[in-house]
Amino acid sequence: MNVFISFSLILGLFSLQACTNSSTKQHRNLPDTAHISDSLSVSTNDNTAPFISPKTDSSQGQIFLVRSYRIWEKEDPTAVLNKEWYDLYEENGQYYLGKVDYEVKDGFDDCAQVATKSVESRRNSLLFLKLKGLKAGVVEHIKISQSEIWPKESVTYSFNNKKINLRASGTIRSTEVQTNEKAHEKVFHEVTDYKLLYIPNNGNKEKMLFQVDQYDHVFMSTLFVGDIDRDGALDFVFSNPKNYEEEAMLLFLSNHGNPLMFDAEEQFDC
């Protein structure tokens, strides 16, 4: 009798172990729900902002700042200029494109202790351009409704029955009130993680015009809104220095639906 009971107990233990192993194997073959949840979350986040940034393409041309340049190791930045360049300039409230009319003057930078070359235009020039397909003459433009576009702000422009929205994001670290040379007070923000988006209302995808990790006592501003390449859509010129010892401009061309970006910058730190 005792032998029979012992044998029954042993069979019961083997059966229990088999069930446990079977349950474990089934559990291991189940999908990892936590892993699936994470994957879906990442995928959703990636698909919510399909931004396409226009690329700087030097093979298509370039822009040039009308200013003084330091000459380092005998490299002259002004040497690229010739009669093929155009000048985007303002006269009596109207903008024009014309072949450049300028002179270069030698000088000396006391701060950096190096020679300089200064490009002086005979017009009220915004910048010089060397781009394919430019034509001389009047350039259609519209009034800039808001020069600085701070984080969480947006500006809408209408041109030829088309609307373009510029929307900014970023972080405002601090705010102060500044007084300019005309004794006008102005609110200024220190901004990091800045992005400016270009959003057409024709169904095309929004484009990220540029991003800046941190502005050092400066900020972007809109300098020109109009049709430089004469394709019936708006182009933009922005001032976009990263710090107070830099001049930088950025040109966005709509380019018949295939946007191009050109930039130029010059440091004048001491």
Side-chain angles (χ1 to χ4, degrees):
M1 185 70 179
N2 291 336
V3 173
F4 178 77
I5 294 173
S6 300
F7 181 73
S8 298
L9 288 173
I10 292 172
L11 286 177
L13 288 173
F14 277 122
S15 298
L16 180 61
Q17 184 176 2
C19 291
T20 303
N21 289 341
S22 176
S23 176
T24 302
K25 288 179 181 178
Q26 290 177 5
H27 177 73
R28 287 174 180 172
N29 290 332
L30 289 174
D32 187 344
T33 55
H35 179 71
I36 290 177
S37 177
D38 289 344
S39 298
L40 289 175
S41 176
V42 171
S43 176
T44 302
N45 289 337
D46 289 344
N47 291 333
T48 55
F51 304 143
I52 302 174
S53 298
K55 297 179 180 179
T56 300
D57 188 350
S58 58
S59 67
Q60 296 288 329
Q62 61 187 118
I63 63 175
F64 187 89
L65 303 176
V66 185
R67 55 160 295 118
S68 176
Y69 291 86
R70 293 169 175 175
I71 308 302
W72 300 103
E73 298 180 355
K74 298 183 180 180
E75 292 186 5
D76 182 3
T78 69
V80 299
L81 294 176
N82 54 42
K83 294 181 180 180
E84 296 180 4
W85 284 77
Y86 281 84
D87 180 7
L88 177 62
Y89 64 96
E90 184 270 336
E91 184 178 300
N92 298 322
Q94 180 60 61
Y95 280 90
Y96 300 86
L97 274 177
K99 288 300 182 70
V100 290
D101 184 10
Y102 68 96
E103 61 178 324
V104 178
K105 294 183 178 180
D106 295 328
F108 189 80
D109 190 315
D110 293 326
C111 176
Q113 292 294 300
V114 295
T116 62
K117 295 278 189 179
S118 294
V119 177
E120 298 184 4
S121 175
R122 295 184 176 91
R123 306 187 183 106
N124 183 25
S125 303
L126 180 59
L127 79 164
F128 290 171
L129 313 88
K130 186 180 180 182
L131 308 170
K132 294 180 179 180
L134 291 183
K135 296 180 181 179
V138 176
V139 177
E140 289 188 87
H141 77 288
I142 58 179
K143 183 179 179 181
I144 296 172
S145 57
Q146 181 177 332
S147 176
E148 298 166 328
I149 309 175
W150 300 102
K152 298 183 179 180
E153 292 183 345
S154 64
V155 180
T156 300
Y157 290 99
S158 297
F159 184 71
N160 288 339
N161 297 319
K162 301 174 184 176
K163 288 187 178 181
I164 297 296
N165 182 259
L166 300 180
R167 188 179 70 212
S169 65
T171 302
I172 294 177
R173 295 296 183 184
S174 62
T175 301
E176 62 183 38
V177 177
Q178 297 179 344
T179 304
N180 62 19
E181 62 277 3
K182 296 182 179 180
H184 293 159
E185 291 186 343
K186 181 179 180 180
V187 174
F188 181 82
H189 306 290
E190 287 290 346
V191 176
T192 59
D193 304 318
Y194 185 81
K195 294 179 182 178
L196 185 65
L197 302 181
Y198 168 96
I199 308 169
N201 285 3
N202 58 5
N204 289 341
K205 291 182 179 180
E206 55 193 5
K207 298 168 176 64
M208 186 166 65
L209 294 183
F210 59 85
Q211 60 182 8
V212 177
D213 292 336
Q214 180 173 346
Y215 286 105
D216 184 7
H217 295 88
V218 291
F219 192 59
M220 63 77 64
S221 62
T222 309
L223 301 180
F224 174 86
V225 182
D227 188 8
I228 296 173
D229 56 10
R230 306 182 194 282
D231 67 346
L234 287 178
D235 309 311
F236 295 86
V237 178
F238 301 99
S239 171
N240 194 39
K242 313 305 183 297
N243 61 74
Y244 61 91
E245 295 179 314
E246 175 186 67
E247 181 180 359
M249 283 192 192
L250 187 151
L251 167 64
F252 170 82
L253 281 184
S254 53
N255 190 40
H256 303 276
N258 298 301
L260 292 172
M261 194 80 76
F262 302 91
D263 59 4
E265 61 183 43
E266 179 69 9
Q267 300 286 334
F268 50 86
D269 53 306
C270 193

